[in-house]
Amino acid sequence: EIVMTQSPATLSVSPGERATLSCRASQSVSGNLAWHQQKPGQAPRLLIYGASTRATGIPARFSGSGSGTEFTLTISSLQPEDFAVYYCQQYNNWPRTFGQGTKVEIK
Amino acid sequence: EVQLLESGGGLVQPGGSLRLSCAASGFNFRSYALSWVRRAPGKGLEWVSSISGSGGDTYYADSVKGRFTISRDNSKEMLYMQMNSLTVEDTAIYSCAQGWGWFDPWGQGTLVTVSS
């Protein structure tokens, strides 16, 4: 099983600032990496797939990069609605696995 | 608009069974793989199971293999999860999602509570 490790566990950021979230895979997942956002009481929402392709309707302030074992999600200028938990997920191998999540909170 | 609506959750005793359903609309149902993902209280997301568009291929997490069975009825545009031998560790919100690579979109989920 591929273990996905996210850092940091919690990120405190002021609105308008840049947020950088990291995700590391225990072995290469090539570019088969997705990022999901989850807010309390809501369904998760896909942000990024293929490591860097924004899903439909996702604002340009969200960007993904990386390949192999190291990946990054960047939110260029945090908006109030962006405070949430973010999960990376690999789909290169079965079982599909998620990172433990990074909570982005208001500083 | 793609919509996924789960139902069937509830309170069940350890060792009991439950059947979850997911009603889909807004897309060519039989053309898409579907998945179940769960989130236990205070924990992160855990993939549970996936099924191909035809229903001929299925995959399971080790934690549920042999206890859970995923299935679909393409004529009714419904996805199911039969859950047997439930344990307290199965307590979670269960969401269905379109796809078996990346998951998009997701349903709101249905809460399963396993407790005596």
Side-chain angles (χ1 to χ4, degrees), chain A residues 1 34 36 38 41-46 48-50 55 87 89-91 94-100, chain B residues 35 37 39 43-47 49-50 59-62 95 100-109:
Chain A
E1 171 176 318
H36 303 272
Q38 186 163 34
Q42 295 188 19
R45 177 172 73 147
L46 175 72
I48 301 284
Y49 63 93
Y87 295 93
Q89 175 235 327
Q90 67 81 21
Y91 52 94
W94 296 100
R96 306 316 195 203
T97 48
F98 290 87
Q100 80 278 17
Chain B
S35 300
V37 180
R39 185 167 67 88
K43 298 199 172 180
L45 299 172
E46 179 188 16
W47 169 79
S49 182
S50 297
Y59 297 88
Y60 296 93
D62 284 346
S95 295
W100 64 4
W102 64 85
F103 306 119
D104 180 46
W106 301 61
Q108 280 281 101

Side-chain angles (χ1 to χ4, degrees), chain B residues 58-88:
Chain B
T58 57
Y59 297 88
Y60 296 93
D62 284 346
S63 57
V64 307
K65 200 174 294 183
R67 300 187 299 122
F68 290 12
T69 302
I70 191 171
S71 62
R72 62 192 293 161
D73 186 333
N74 285 350
S75 67
K76 296 181 179 178
E77 298 190 334
M78 294 291 294
L79 173 71
Y80 304 101
M81 177 66 80
Q82 177 66 43
M83 304 187 297
N84 299 331
S85 303
L86 286 161
T87 73
V88 295

Side-chain angles (χ1 to χ4, degrees), chain A:
Chain A
E1 171 176 318
I2 296 178
V3 177
M4 307 300 292
T5 303
Q6 292 185 241
S7 61
T10 303
L11 188 60
S12 298
V13 186
S14 299
E17 288 188 341
R18 182 187 194 92
T20 302
L21 289 66
S22 296
C23 175
R24 174 176 292 179
S26 60
Q27 65 187 75
S28 176
V29 299
S30 187
N32 297 314
L33 191 284
W35 289 94
H36 303 272
Q37 175 195 66
Q38 186 163 34
K39 300 178 186 179
Q42 295 188 19
R45 177 172 73 147
L46 175 72
L47 300 175
I48 301 284
Y49 63 93
S52 61
T53 303
R54 276 189 303 277
T56 302
I58 301 303
R61 64 181 181 272
F62 291 92
S63 63
S65 63
S67 67
T69 61
E70 300 283 344
F71 300 89
T72 301
L73 175 69
T74 302
I75 311 171
S76 59
S77 176
L78 271 157
Q79 301 300 303
E81 61 269 27
D82 299 335
F83 293 95
V85 179
Y86 293 83
Y87 295 93
C88 62
Q89 175 235 327
Q90 67 81 21
Y91 52 94
N92 195 64
N93 286 37
W94 296 100
R96 306 316 195 203
T97 48
F98 290 87
Q100 80 278 17
T102 291
K103 181 179 181 181
V104 178
E105 63 177 25
I106 300 175
K107 187 174 182 180

